[in-house]
């Protein structure tokens, strides 16, 4: 999936791939995760230097465990006061879930490429691109990966209250920039 976006006179695109994990050990996982989804989202953005600093905010939900989406931080940064799972100059989102267990599972991720305003040091997050992905596991433990699909402004807006609660030193812009992704 390719998603194009514009922000502040700059242009970008995100290339999303969700595939079965064919070589878990090579990806730092165990054989148990064979067939689980691997999501990679690479970023191209015409802005340079500090203006190309972007962050991925990812929320996940497993309806049997919780009704709401929750932040899915990279374990190394679980105690961070920032909402990002990945952050940097045109950062790549990489995720290979390890939530395998027997029985029915319906796991969903909402992944948002975000930027902070270029006009100061405020801790403010603006979404640029959003997509959903995940997997289902049936009662016979067969995995079915979900195709990546675009998220809309209302999807981001629905997460903002929770994000503000979890990260009180940050503010979260509305999802209107997502309307321009294509």
């Amino acid at each position: 999936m390719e998603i194009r976006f514009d922000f502040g006179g700059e242009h970008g695109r995100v290339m999303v791939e969700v595939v079965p994990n064919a070589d878990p050990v090579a990806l730092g996982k165990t054989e148990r995760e064979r067939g689980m989804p691997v999501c990679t989202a690479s970023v191209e953005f015409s802005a340079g230097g500090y203006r190309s600093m972007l962050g991925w905010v990812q929320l996940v939900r497993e309806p049997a465990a919780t009704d709401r989406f929750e932040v899915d931080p990279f374990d190394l940064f679980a105690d961070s006061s920032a909402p990002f799972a990945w952050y940097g100059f045109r950062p790549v989102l990489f995720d290979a879930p390890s939530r395998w267990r027997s029985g029915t599972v319906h796991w969903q991720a909402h992944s948002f490429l975000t930027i902070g305003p270029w006009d100061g040091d405020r801790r403010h997050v603006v979404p640029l691109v959003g997509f959903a992905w995940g997997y289902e596991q049936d009662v016979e433990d067969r995995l079915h990966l979900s195709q990546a699909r675009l998220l809309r402004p209302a999807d981001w807006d629905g997460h903002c209250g929770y994000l503000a609660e979890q990260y009180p030193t940050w503010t979260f812009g509305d999802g209107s920039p997502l309307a321009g992704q294509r």
Side-chain angles (χ1 to χ4, degrees):
M1 168 184 223
E2 177 180 343
I3 309 168
R4 294 187 177 274
F5 67 95
D6 299 304
F7 183 79
E10 303 289 349
H11 310 288
R13 75 179 184 148
V14 174
M15 299 300 295
V16 179
E17 181 180 62
V18 179
V19 297
N21 192 339
D23 192 354
V25 174
L27 298 179
K29 307 303 264 184
T30 68
E31 275 300 317
R32 184 161 187 102
E33 283 83 35
R34 183 172 295 280
M36 295 286 286
V38 174
C39 180
T40 306
S42 302
V43 177
E44 294 176 5
F45 190 42
S46 62
Y50 294 115
R51 292 170 51 106
S52 68
M53 297 279 295
L54 305 168
W56 285 100
V57 174
Q58 181 165 277
L59 301 106
V60 299
R61 175 175 73 172
E62 187 178 325
T66 180
D67 287 334
R68 74 177 183 177
F69 281 86
E70 297 176 342
V71 171
D72 183 28
F74 181 54
D75 286 341
L76 182 62
F77 304 121
D79 61 347
S80 173
S81 63
F84 308 111
W86 304 269
Y87 187 84
F89 299 98
R90 299 176 192 94
V92 173
L93 177 154
F94 173 83
D95 196 12
S98 298
R99 295 178 181 176
W100 191 97
R101 65 175 176 282
S102 291
T104 303
V105 175
H106 183 73
W107 186 89
Q108 301 170 310
H110 281 184
S111 303
F112 297 94
L113 179 65
T114 66
I115 193 167
W118 298 338
D119 61 355
D121 295 329
R122 295 181 358 211
R123 291 181 171 194
H124 184 71
V125 179
V126 175
L128 301 174
V129 166
F131 66 94
W133 63 284
Y135 71 96
E136 292 183 18
Q137 181 178 310
D138 64 26
V139 293
E140 296 175 2
D141 295 336
R142 291 179 298 216
L143 292 171
H144 308 277
L145 278 54
S146 305
Q147 280 193 325
R149 66 175 175 80
L150 282 180
L151 292 173
R152 299 291 171 215
D155 296 306
W156 171 262
D157 293 343
H159 297 306
C160 285
Y162 167 79
L163 289 169
E165 182 182 296
Q166 296 298 306
Y167 301 97
T169 61
W170 291 79
T171 59
F172 298 88
D174 70 32
S176 60
L178 296 176
Q181 64 185 349
R182 52 196 188 288

